[in-house]
């Protein structure tokens, strides 16, 4: 790694304004300034230029032709720090080997949607990122035409070198960058984006731009932040959901080595205008502040804190849908009660979200009704890098640095919480040691800022693994009951889904098989709770996909059909004679991945030697189908192979996309098989990896094959879609291996009970 | 507090810390070697793996007082320019997603290949089972270890 000081002598700003259709209107506003900045270069092979010229907020070009591209969105492992700049470089027409990537600063004027969530970075960046590259290319060509005194139409570019077709004149981007920076910003309609057939970088694999730093252990993550005069802070939160701080004996630990202070902070005081991303189950936290992490950990252990039942939180759990009746749970909740309460409520009528035809009559007239219920527990996100943030808050400004998926929202909360102007709040994004939705909720960032303000010192807040796992913001516990009405010919005449959870419903009323069945009813309910919840990789889908795809598998079996053909027939009906309005999927693309996975896996209905399960699901604008083969060996499932067929439109960085599908597949299998957070009297029963089981090397599939649909459609989501469906494929394969259906996650509990008997 | 002499990545270092301080926090908080990661603090995740006299160990469980006279190697000392054959294989296979656990994975993998240059699939799984990857890069880790094994034998 080399550090060099360079000078930026022009700086441009793109003002981005959202327009209809999700596109981006780009206007430019020149501001000349001179400032020094530090450039950290991963690859010492690239010589740094003497001068940089910023052509717009996404890129700058050095006088030697080296290009820096800013990656606007937070990086949580989805590899957008490589794929987003690839989209800029494609339209700029530069040699990727000549590109340096830097994480962009948070700047809502320059960039739109600096957020990692909803698998939307590539989809929503598709137009603006390519346009930024193309606009800069346009300006470089205009400047070259002027200097060469030739018509711009006679110029072409390859790898950052502009050539004139009528002569042997050439000029490099580095040579013309200074003049290009003075060219007027073109109107949007003057800049033409490339035809997809001309892509050179998009669609060809490029390696992770941070990989060298990762494999050599260089500082990249928030937790790696160490600054002069910085103190380490840790928090102590109530051990049980429903409790609050009463008192503590702080004096005893204040004399311990390295300890600077012990105090309490309020997380989100009453009256504070919260963002959706502001979630905390605990109103007051104890803070231990000291010189080093180990010293603070020791003091924290020695600290005696008294907790009380929070009177506000001792209310009974209420069913939010009043029509469904009332639940009876005290302020300190337990999983056993959650389970029975959800089963009870799930058996009653709830709020109707969608109804097609006359499902009541169809069920009344059914020759046979198949009804099954499915459940899953709460899950902790368990990012390998625990929650942490650096904060240096002074009277008039806040410097914040660390792992956050929603910096735009955090900035607003800090503005409100600390009473600072937005321009005096600086949030910098570090590479994140996992996100999975947890870092959408920036309570740790706010806590770090409040601690720094109170301590009057720069502070790094560090959660221990235990703090992290017992802090809430969990994937909700869910429950769903499916019912299907069959006539005397085994034809499905009605379908009923009743779904709910604590404290969110997993229902997607307009998704498959809605639209494929004449009589359809979708109902939804939620249960209140003291336990805080949050989005977890593929929210709601991470449960409902596995449940729905297990139920469809059972329906296929009960009606004597091949499970893939059964789904294809439903999709055919949804395409040719769709039932109802607002069906939220494209039946052709859905069928496409099922056919692809069938063909690639050599699926044969009659193959009895393989314990195979199939599943397909649509979410985050993409379609994934998976077929999973497993054996049960020594009371544990051994997964031999998973074949994945994915339709996410154009794949920007194929090998990295494959990595994402492999990872999502393993992640989905692992959580459905092994993981849970359960409660007794408000206390989480798992607090570290000795009690919380995550999938490990031995349990991972022996082989994962990934195939992408090639249809030239603009890119759609990929970070989340591979996770949900594999859970259905797993459950269906487990049934083949054991003869038993699996309804309750984590499946390992049921599997081991089964093998004991 | 007490002074301890350590040999880390071939260099002698002296630190003045509580004798119970785990090597993990000595590296991170006192020696500016942050490649070794904190993940669980109870030797269950492997993010803090270093080499202790050539063996892969969890540095969160090694009190600094037990290290005198031992040779410690961290990810920063695995190679001078990031060109150890295991690191090269990791780059070639493009293993990382978030990347947080990978230093620990690489230290476990390199210790495995030092003692067993041509491990079977099962031996790889056994040696690596203590290293969790929440992103699920297990298939690529295995592929990278095999690639490194090949290049080491060749």
């Amino acid at each position: 790694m080399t550090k060099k000081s360079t000078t930026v002598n022009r700086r441009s700003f793109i003002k981005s304004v959202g327009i209809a259709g999700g596109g981006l209107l780009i206007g430019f506003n020149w501001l000349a300034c001179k400032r020094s900045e530090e450039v950290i270069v991963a690859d010492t092979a690239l010589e740094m230029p003497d001068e940089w010229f910023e052509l717009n907020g996404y890129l700058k070009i050095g006088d030697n032709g080296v290009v820096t591209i800013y990656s606007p969105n937070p990086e949580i492992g989805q590899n957008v720090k490589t794929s987003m700049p690839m989209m800029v470089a494609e339209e700029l027409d530069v040699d990727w080997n000549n590109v340096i990537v830097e994480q962009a600063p948070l700047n809502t004027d320059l960039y739109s949607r600096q957020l990692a969530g909803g698998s939307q970075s590539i989809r929503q960046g598709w137009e603006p990122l390519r346009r930024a590259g193309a606009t800069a290319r346009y300006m470089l060509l205009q400047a070259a035409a002027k200097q060469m005194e030739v018509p711009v139409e006679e110029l072409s570019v390859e790898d950052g070198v502009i050539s004139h077709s009528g002569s042997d004149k050439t000029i490099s981007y580095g040579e013309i960058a200074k003049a290009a920076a003075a060219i007027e910003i073109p109107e949007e309609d003057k800049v033409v984006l490339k035809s997809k057939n001309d892509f050179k970088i998009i669609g060809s694999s490029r390696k992770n731009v941070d990989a060298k730093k990762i494999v050599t252990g260089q500082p990249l993550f928030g937790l790696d932040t160490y600054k002069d005069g910085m103190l380490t802070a840790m928090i102590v939160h109530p051990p049980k959901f429903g409790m609050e701080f009463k008192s503590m004996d702080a004096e005893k630990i204040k004399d311990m080595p390295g300890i600077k202070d012990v105090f309490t902070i309020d997380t989100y005081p009453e009256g504070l205008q919260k963002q959706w991303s502001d979630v905390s189950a605990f109103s007051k936290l104890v803070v231990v502040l000291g010189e080093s992490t180990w010293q603070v950990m020791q003091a924290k252990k020695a600290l005696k804190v008294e907790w009380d039942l929070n009177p506000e939180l001792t209310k009974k759990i209420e069913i939010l849908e009043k029509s469904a009746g009332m639940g009876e749970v005290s302020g300190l909740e337990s999983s056993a009660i959650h389970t029975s309460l959800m089963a009870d409520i799930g058996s009653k009528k709830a709020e109707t979200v969608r109804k097609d035809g006359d499902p009541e009559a169809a069920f009344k007239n059914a020759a046979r009704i198949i009804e099954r219920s499915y459940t899953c527990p709460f899950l902790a996100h368990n990012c390998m890098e625990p929650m942490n943030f650096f904060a240096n808050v002074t009277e008039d400004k806040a410097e914040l640095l660390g792992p956050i998926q929603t910096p735009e929202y955090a900035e607003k909360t800090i503005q409100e919480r600390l009473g600072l102007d937005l321009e005096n709040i600086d949030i910098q994004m570090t590479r994140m040691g996992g996100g999975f939705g947890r870092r959408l909720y920036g309570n740790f960032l706010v806590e770090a800022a409040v601690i720094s303000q109170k301590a009057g010192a720069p502070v790094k807040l560090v959660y221990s693994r235990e703090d992290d796992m017992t802090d809430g913001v969990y994937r909700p516990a869910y429950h769903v009951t499916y019912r299907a009405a069959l006539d005397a010919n085994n034809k499905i005449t009605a379908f009923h889904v009743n779904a709910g959870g604590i404290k969110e419903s997993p229902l997607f009323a307009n998704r498959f098989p809605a639209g494929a069945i004449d009589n359809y009813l979708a109902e939804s309910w939620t249960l209140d709770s003291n336990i805080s919840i949050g989005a977890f990789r593929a929210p709601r889908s991470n449960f409902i996909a596995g449940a729905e795809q297990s139920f469809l598998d059972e329906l296929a079996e009960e009606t004597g059909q091949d499970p893939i053909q059964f789904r294809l027939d439903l999709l055919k009906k949804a395409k040719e004679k769709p039932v109802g309005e607002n069906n939220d999927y494209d039946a052709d693309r859905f069928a496409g991945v099922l056919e692809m996975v069938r063909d690639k896996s050599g699926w044969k209905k009659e193959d009895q030697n393989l314990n195979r399960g199939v599943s397909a699901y649509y979410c985050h604008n993409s379609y994934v189908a998976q077929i999973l083969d497993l054996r049960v060996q020594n009371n544990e499932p051994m997964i031999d192979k998973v074949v994945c067929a994915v339709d996410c439109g154009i794949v920007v960085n194929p090998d990295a996309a494959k990595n994402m599908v492999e990872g999502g597949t393993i992640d989905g299998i692992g959580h459905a098989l092994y993981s849970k957070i359960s409660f007794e009297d408000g206390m989480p029963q798992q607090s570290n990896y000795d009690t919380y089981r995550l999938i490990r090397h031995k349990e991972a599939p022996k082989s994962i094959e990934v195939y992408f649909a090639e249809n030239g459609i603009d890119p759609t989501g990929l970070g989340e879609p591979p996770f949900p469906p594999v859970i259905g494929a797993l459950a269906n394969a487990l049934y083949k291996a054991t003869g038993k259906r699996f309804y309750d996650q984590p499946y390992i509990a049921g599997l081991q009970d089964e093998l004991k008997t | 507090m007490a002074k301890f002499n350590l040999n880390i990545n071939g260099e002698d270092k002296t630190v003045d810390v509580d004798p119970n301080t785990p090597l993990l926090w000595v590296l991170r908080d006192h020696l500016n070697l942050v490649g070794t990661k904190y993940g669980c603090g109870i030797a269950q995740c492997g993010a803090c793996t270093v080499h202790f006299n050539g063996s892969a160990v969890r540095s969160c469980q090694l009190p600094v007082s037990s290290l005198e006279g031992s040779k410690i190697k961290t990810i920063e000392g695995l190679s001078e320019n990031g060109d150890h054959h295991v690191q090269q294989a990791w780059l070639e296979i493009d293993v990382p997603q978030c990347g947080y656990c990978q230093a620990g994975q690489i230290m476990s993998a390199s210790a495995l290949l030092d003692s067993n240059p041509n491990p079977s699939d099962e031996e790889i799984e056994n040696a690596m089972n203590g290293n969790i990857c929440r992103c699920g890069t297990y298939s690529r880790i295995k592929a990278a270890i095999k690639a490194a094994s090949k290049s080491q034998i060749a």
Side-chain angles (χ1 to χ4, degrees):
Chain A
M1 186 170 67
T2 60
K3 289 183 181 182
K4 288 190 182 179
S5 271
T6 63
T7 303
V8 177
N9 68 348
R10 287 199 77 99
R11 193 169 166 79
S12 68
F13 291 82
I14 295 184
K15 290 234 181 256
S16 39
V17 184
I19 55 166
L24 200 73
L25 188 69
I26 305 179
F28 294 78
N29 173 25
W30 291 101
L31 282 178
C33 69
K34 198 171 174 76
R35 70 184 172 100
S36 186
E37 70 174 29
E38 190 179 63
V39 178
I40 299 168
V41 186
D43 190 345
T44 47
L46 280 182
E47 279 291 320
M48 284 301 94
D50 294 326
E51 270 192 298
W52 286 108
F53 303 98
E54 292 214 6
L55 295 196
N56 58 49
Y58 290 92
L59 64 102
K60 61 184 180 186
I61 298 178
D63 54 12
N64 64 347
V66 170
V67 179
T68 294
I69 301 179
Y70 297 100
S71 184
N73 284 26
E75 172 63 62
I76 57 176
Q78 79 281 48
N79 208 18
V80 290
K81 197 173 171 185
T82 305
S83 50
M84 291 185 101
M86 281 172 70
M87 286 145 63
V88 178
E90 176 68 66
E91 294 286 346
L92 185 60
D93 262 332
V94 287
D95 179 355
W96 182 252
N97 293 322
N98 228 7
V99 170
I100 295 167
V101 173
E102 285 183 29
Q103 182 71 54
L106 174 64
N107 189 329
T108 48
D109 288 336
L110 280 171
Y111 312 106
S112 59
R113 201 182 182 276
Q114 288 186 284
L115 187 150
S119 296
Q120 294 300 306
S121 294
I122 296 297
R123 177 169 177 252
Q124 298 202 23
W126 181 241
E127 174 80 13
L129 286 164
R130 288 184 305 138
R131 193 154 283 284
T135 303
R137 180 182 185 273
Y138 179 96
M139 292 158 69
L140 288 155
L141 282 169
Q142 292 291 331
K146 246 190 203 174
Q147 185 157 319
M148 290 175 165
E149 298 180 323
V150 298
V152 74
E153 295 76 26
E154 292 176 12
L155 298 179
S156 63
V157 192
E158 192 166 351
D159 288 346
V161 178
I162 300 168
S163 308
H164 179 233
S165 60
S167 66
D168 55 2
K169 284 183 193 166
T170 63
I171 193 163
S172 73
Y173 276 3
E175 291 167 310
I176 201 67
K178 185 175 184 177
I183 295 283
E184 199 183 333
I185 308 302
E187 295 293 322
E188 188 178 328
D189 57 3
K190 283 194 178 168
V191 178
V192 182
L193 297 179
K194 279 185 184 175
S195 148
K196 285 156 191 166
N197 298 329
D198 295 333
F199 287 161
K200 283 185 186 166
I201 295 175
I202 291 173
S204 74
S205 298
R206 306 291 151 138
K207 297 210 188 295
N208 185 330
V209 294
D210 276 341
K212 185 78 184 270
K213 287 182 185 170
I214 291 168
V215 305
T216 53
Q218 292 176 44
L220 273 174
F221 301 95
L223 209 60
D224 300 342
T225 307
Y226 288 84
K227 300 216 181 203
D228 289 343
M230 181 189 93
L231 296 173
T232 297
M234 297 188 81
I235 51 113
V236 185
H237 64 64
K240 299 178 173 189
F241 289 85
M243 298 199 93
E244 65 175 5
F245 175 81
K246 184 183 174 194
S247 65
M248 66 174 164
D249 188 357
E251 295 312 312
K252 266 194 181 158
I253 66 161
K254 280 187 177 167
D255 291 340
M256 286 179 72
I259 298 308
K260 296 288 185 189
D261 207 351
V262 185
F263 52 80
T264 61
I265 58 164
D266 294 323
T267 51
Y268 297 105
E270 215 166 297
L272 182 88
Q273 197 184 338
K274 285 197 202 174
Q275 306 292 321
W276 65 269
S277 52
D278 292 327
V279 175
S280 178
F282 310 115
S283 57
K284 199 184 273 293
L285 303 170
V286 177
V287 176
V288 181
L289 201 60
E291 287 172 359
S292 72
T293 319
W294 179 249
Q295 289 171 328
V296 175
M297 282 179 165
Q298 295 311 103
K300 208 179 144 204
K301 226 183 260 175
L303 178 66
K304 296 267 181 294
V305 186
E306 298 266 325
W307 311 96
D308 238 350
L309 269 180
N310 180 333
E312 286 289 302
L313 301 181
T314 52
K315 64 182 179 188
K316 308 284 187 194
I317 288 188
E318 290 184 5
I319 297 156
L320 298 182
E321 273 316 309
K322 290 199 178 81
S323 61
M326 300 290 285
E328 287 290 327
V329 172
S330 75
L332 299 179
E333 302 168 34
S334 294
S335 294
I337 296 170
H338 285 159
T339 304
S340 64
L341 202 56
M342 287 203 291
D344 183 39
I345 297 155
S347 67
K348 292 175 183 158
K349 178 125 196 68
E351 181 198 2
T352 298
V353 184
R354 173 168 168 158
K355 187 170 163 179
D356 299 319
D358 190 349
E360 289 87 355
F363 275 102
K364 215 172 167 186
N365 299 327
R368 191 153 66 109
I369 293 171
I370 298 170
E371 177 178 326
R372 302 287 184 264
S373 294
Y374 302 80
T375 68
C376 73
F378 291 94
L379 292 176
H381 293 79
N382 276 319
C383 304
M384 290 310 292
E385 178 195 13
M387 298 307 110
N388 68 88
F389 230 85
F390 170 82
N392 188 11
V393 176
T394 56
E395 212 160 285
D396 53 3
K397 81 182 184 358
E399 182 199 355
L400 298 150
L401 172 82
I404 181 77
Q405 289 179 248
T406 49
E408 294 181 17
Y409 295 93
E411 192 178 49
K412 289 184 191 133
T413 301
I414 290 296
Q415 178 187 26
E416 168 91 7
R417 184 71 172 81
L418 302 186
L420 291 172
D421 292 335
L422 271 187
E423 65 254 33
N424 293 324
I425 301 166
D426 179 30
I427 299 182
Q428 292 175 51
M429 296 170 267
T430 51
R431 185 180 186 86
M432 283 176 251
F436 309 107
R438 175 61 186 88
R439 291 189 234 263
L440 293 167
Y441 310 96
N443 60 308
F444 46 88
L445 176 154
V446 178
E447 291 157 15
V450 173
I451 294 166
S452 171
Q453 188 185 43
K454 197 155 179 170
V459 159
K460 180 170 65 176
L461 171 67
V462 179
Y463 277 28
S464 69
R465 175 55 58 196
E466 290 82 2
D467 296 334
D468 188 295
M469 210 182 284
T470 58
D471 185 51
V473 200
Y474 298 124
R475 192 282 298 271
Y478 294 121
H479 181 284
V480 63
T481 298
Y482 288 103
R483 291 162 73 224
L486 306 181
D487 67 13
N489 300 319
N490 262 342
K491 187 176 168 300
I492 297 170
T493 56
F495 192 90
H496 174 203
V497 51
N498 172 308
I502 306 169
K503 41 193 176 177
E504 168 196 89
S505 168
L507 180 71
F508 290 97
N510 296 322
R511 287 197 187 157
F512 185 76
I517 296 164
D518 290 333
N519 303 298
Y520 174 86
L521 175 64
E523 295 177 293
S524 186
W525 52 268
T526 54
L527 259 178
D528 202 2
S529 172
N530 294 326
I531 297 159
S532 60
I533 60 156
F536 181 107
R537 193 177 198 170
R540 303 186 279 159
S541 296
N542 58 39
F543 165 67
I544 203 87
E548 164 202 300
Q549 292 294 312
S550 300
F551 187 63
L552 291 183
D553 201 70
E554 212 165 330
L555 283 186
E557 186 187 35
E558 291 284 343
T559 56
Q561 300 176 71
D562 171 75
I564 293 181
Q565 195 55 47
F566 173 72
R567 288 168 172 82
L568 289 173
D569 289 346
L570 285 171
L571 286 163
K572 188 163 179 251
K573 155 92 175 161
K575 189 194 170 190
E576 291 172 357
K577 276 192 188 168
V579 180
E581 312 259 313
N582 305 322
N583 294 326
D584 178 24
Y585 59 94
D586 178 325
D588 271 336
R589 291 179 77 180
F590 211 135
V593 291
L594 266 167
E595 285 162 356
M596 188 193 287
V597 83
R598 178 191 63 195
D599 298 345
K600 295 291 185 188
S601 69
W603 171 268
K604 281 191 200 111
K605 183 181 149 193
E606 65 274 15
D607 192 339
Q608 297 300 321
N609 296 323
L610 289 173
N611 304 308
R612 284 202 131 162
V614 65
S615 178
Y617 191 70
Y618 162 78
C619 66
H620 302 90
N621 318 98
S622 292
Y623 302 80
V624 176
Q626 284 143 324
I627 287 177
L628 182 148
D629 299 347
L630 63 73
R631 290 166 288 143
V632 174
Q633 203 174 293
N634 304 326
N635 293 355
E636 292 276 350
M638 301 294 293
I639 298 162
D640 290 313
K641 189 169 166 183
V642 185
V643 182
C644 310
V646 181
D647 180 352
C648 59
I650 293 169
V651 179
V652 174
N653 192 7
D655 187 56
K658 188 167 172 276
N659 195 350
M660 187 53 46
V661 178
E662 292 164 358
T665 297
I666 292 173
D667 201 24
I669 291 169
H671 282 92
L673 255 181
Y674 302 119
S675 305
K676 70 168 177 185
I677 288 276
S678 57
F679 297 89
E680 269 179 40
D681 289 333
M683 188 185 277
Q685 298 301 293
Q686 297 77 22
S687 60
N688 206 325
Y689 299 129
D690 51 346
T691 43
Y692 191 103
R693 189 168 171 190
L694 281 174
I695 191 166
R696 290 174 181 272
H697 277 270
K698 275 188 197 175
E699 297 141 357
K702 306 295 170 203
S703 143
I704 300 175
E705 292 175 13
V706 181
Y707 302 94
F708 291 101
E710 289 176 23
N711 52 21
I713 296 170
D714 287 355
T716 51
L718 190 63
E720 293 165 276
F723 185 109
V726 77
I727 297 169
L730 169 68
N732 298 335
L734 278 171
Y735 166 66
K736 287 286 175 60
T738 63
K740 184 195 158 181
R741 290 280 176 186
F742 287 77
Y743 301 104
D744 303 304
Q745 293 181 28
Y747 298 140
I748 193 72
L751 179 66
Q752 289 176 344
D753 285 350
E754 173 74 7
L755 294 169
K756 268 183 225 152
T757 55
Chain B
M1 307 284 269
K3 288 202 169 162
F4 297 95
N5 299 313
L6 308 174
N7 185 284
I8 298 184
N9 299 330
E11 286 179 41
D12 291 325
K13 306 268 186 189
T14 305
V15 291
D16 187 5
V17 294
D18 180 291
N20 290 322
T21 310
L23 173 61
L24 167 67
W25 295 112
V26 172
L27 293 171
R28 293 184 59 84
D29 282 2
H30 302 279
L31 295 173
N32 197 28
L33 292 168
V34 298
T36 306
K37 300 302 188 204
Y38 167 68
C40 70
I42 58 166
Q44 291 290 313
C45 79
C48 69
T49 305
V50 299
H51 294 177
F52 173 79
N53 295 330
S55 300
V57 295
R58 314 300 178 211
S59 65
C60 71
Q61 296 301 306
L62 272 187
V64 66
S65 57
S66 67
L67 301 176
E68 296 241 14
S70 308
K71 288 200 181 307
I72 303 295
K73 194 184 275 180
T74 71
I75 187 73
E76 291 91 345
L78 191 62
S79 63
E80 203 138 300
N81 303 309
D83 54 3
H84 185 279
H85 58 283
V86 173
Q87 289 168 317
Q88 292 291 1
W90 243 251
L91 293 174
E92 189 48 44
I93 306 286
D94 213 15
V95 174
Q97 285 186 30
C98 88
Y100 191 78
C101 73
Q102 298 296 346
Q105 305 275 2
I106 289 169
M107 294 311 282
S108 289
S110 56
L112 165 68
L113 291 176
D114 286 345
S115 65
N116 180 359
N118 191 15
S120 66
D121 281 14
E122 204 183 340
E123 286 167 333
I124 292 174
E125 287 167 14
N126 283 332
M128 301 301 295
N129 213 45
N131 289 77
I132 294 174
C133 173
R134 166 71 223 270
C135 300
T137 61
Y138 296 128
S139 321
R140 287 188 181 231
I141 288 170
K142 196 190 269 180
I145 293 172
K146 287 182 168 182
S149 162
K150 251 188 201 160
S151 72
Q152 183 176 329
I153 295 165

